[in-house]
Amino acid sequence: MNGAHSREIALVDLLDRVLSTGVVIAGDVTIAIADVDLVRVSLRALVCSVSTVSPDPVLAADAVLAEDPVRAAGPGLPAVPGGGP
Amino acid sequence: MGRAVSDDTWRLWLHGVARDRVAVTVAGVGDAPVRAVSAAGLCAYVSPAPADVSGAGELRAHLEDPAWVARTAFEHHRVVAELAAAGPVVPAGLATVYRDDTRLAATLERHAAGLTGALDRVAGRTEWGVKGYVRSEPPAAAPATTAGGPGAAYLERRRAELNARERRHDEAVRDADAVHAALARRADAVHLHAPQDRRLTGDPEVMVLNGAYLVQDTRAEAFAAAVRSLGATYPGISLRLTGPWPPYSFVPAIDTKEADPADPSGGGLAYAGEVP
């Protein structure tokens, strides 16, 4: 990786990657969390719980492009700290 | 899907596989310390699986718990990010667990060639994300017609708005294809994630591109410049660059399924990424 980047990442972007197919491959066993549905269920619940806890989360890290219009952060996922080294 | 889990418990939570031994300074899941398990010239970085996820039922239940998923994803990622900063790594997906060191070492032995090949492919490269949204526009001016009274005027205005929105969406989709093709030419591998739902992102605009690009580190700045320039070239789409990411989207899922002649997908390393 390219060093010197330390900023927050959006949880939803991280989940795209660590849960990529919606299937959790659990080393010794394949747990079919699959069919994506379960994951989506989790994420829907995540949205609900997040919006009740934090109505105005800051979606950081996406604003890399200077000319990108500033977006009003709606009831989205929170950013998690520690995107890069 | 929904294959039941056979026996017992697991104790190791896998973060990723690298070639070299790295001193990991961050904690793993449940804030437990990270250590390496070596075999076949590879180092697997693990932390103890939390006691409450030592069975499939428990893990399944946790994956329905948003707070747990968020916390665990972050705890997993901070280890992977540190490994990626030190050198090539094959990141494990969330909740890749093993019973013990012996089973994990056997996995490394069995998949040594695939893992080594994956490490070679990601060496000196970084994953970047590019998300594209339908660009928002100010609402069109109300049409001057009043022939049918206020109700008809409203309906007409509404229809015009919907048509305009549809046109913007179609244009953004076409632009997304063009942007993706242009970025793919600058990447060694690409992977398209499903566009994120607005309920998840909280963004007002619809996402039409959610791409991941594996880019040589020497070309990272040129790639970022290309994203900026494509954003200016294609007016229908608004682009956002994310990263650097460990190469999550470009490594095989580490799976110990034994090869099963009846199951063509069994036993191997399944790749998510594609060569453009």
Side-chain angles (χ1 to χ4, degrees):
Chain A
M1 287 213 337
N2 224 323
H5 294 266
S6 178
R7 55 172 164 266
E8 295 191 324
I9 58 172
L11 178 59
V12 65
D13 292 338
L14 178 58
L15 293 182
D16 268 349
R17 289 166 168 80
V18 297
L19 296 176
S20 60
T21 62
V23 181
V24 172
I25 304 295
D28 276 348
V29 283
T30 299
I31 300 181
I33 295 306
D35 300 348
V36 185
D37 280 338
L38 182 55
V39 171
R40 286 198 179 142
V41 166
S42 294
L43 293 179
R44 272 201 294 273
L46 194 53
V47 174
C48 296
S49 64
V50 165
S51 358
T52 54
V53 172
S54 166
D56 186 24
V58 176
L59 292 176
D62 296 336
V64 174
L65 299 181
E67 56 269 54
D68 208 31
V70 174
R71 293 164 190 286
L77 294 179
V80 292
Chain B
M1 314 284 288
R3 191 174 326 192
V5 174
S6 51
D7 54 333
D8 67 39
T9 61
W10 44 63
R11 293 176 190 81
L12 300 183
W13 181 289
L14 179 64
H15 295 289
V17 177
R19 223 186 302 263
D20 304 313
R21 202 167 268 271
V22 176
V24 176
T25 61
V26 294
V29 287
D31 288 332
V34 177
R35 67 185 174 87
V37 173
S38 299
L42 298 166
C43 283
Y45 289 85
V46 299
S47 51
D52 61 351
V53 297
S54 60
E58 294 160 308
L59 184 52
R60 208 180 262 281
H62 278 305
L63 285 162
E64 288 279 18
D65 172 1
W68 186 91
V69 171
R71 186 177 66 247
T72 308
F74 163 63
E75 291 171 346
H76 177 67
H77 172 71
R78 69 186 171 199
V79 177
V80 175
E82 186 163 301
L83 292 171
V89 62
V90 174
L94 196 68
T96 300
V97 290
Y98 290 84
R99 296 206 179 98
D100 52 37
D101 285 28
T102 309
R103 296 288 292 249
L104 176 52
T107 301
L108 295 178
E109 299 277 358
R110 188 159 56 243
H111 295 308
L115 290 167
T116 304
L119 288 169
D120 288 343
R121 275 190 297 280
V122 301
R125 294 169 174 84
T126 297
E127 175 175 337
W128 296 90
V130 177
K131 298 185 288 185
Y133 301 80
V134 178
R135 199 184 284 277
S136 54
E137 274 176 20
T145 173
T146 54
Y154 168 79
L155 288 175
E156 184 161 334
R157 196 166 60 241
R158 183 84 185 118
R159 188 163 57 238
E161 278 170 13
L162 290 174
N163 287 343
R165 187 182 304 171
E166 200 170 311
R167 272 199 308 279
R168 282 206 308 275
H169 186 271
D170 291 348
E171 186 191 2
V173 168
R174 281 196 302 276
D175 286 355
D177 287 345
V179 165
H180 176 66
L183 294 176
R185 285 195 291 275
R186 298 172 174 274
D188 289 341
V190 301
H191 179 73
L192 286 174
H193 293 284
Q196 295 163 356
D197 193 292
R198 269 185 296 177
R199 287 168 299 178
L200 297 180
T201 61
D203 288 319
E205 283 84 29
V206 173
M207 186 183 289
V208 289
L209 172 67
N210 189 12
Y213 304 86
L214 188 67
V215 179
Q216 289 178 31
D217 289 339
T218 53
R219 304 176 67 184
E221 282 178 26
F223 184 82
V227 174
R228 285 192 295 272
S229 130
L230 287 164
T233 305
Y234 292 95
I237 192 170
S238 149
L239 299 177
R240 283 197 252 168
L241 178 68
T242 68
W245 292 98
Y248 287 115
S249 305
F250 299 101
V251 297
I254 301 168
D255 179 2
T256 61
K257 270 190 295 183
E258 298 294 343
D260 175 359
D263 177 5
S265 72
L269 296 173
Y271 281 83
E274 301 147 20
V275 175

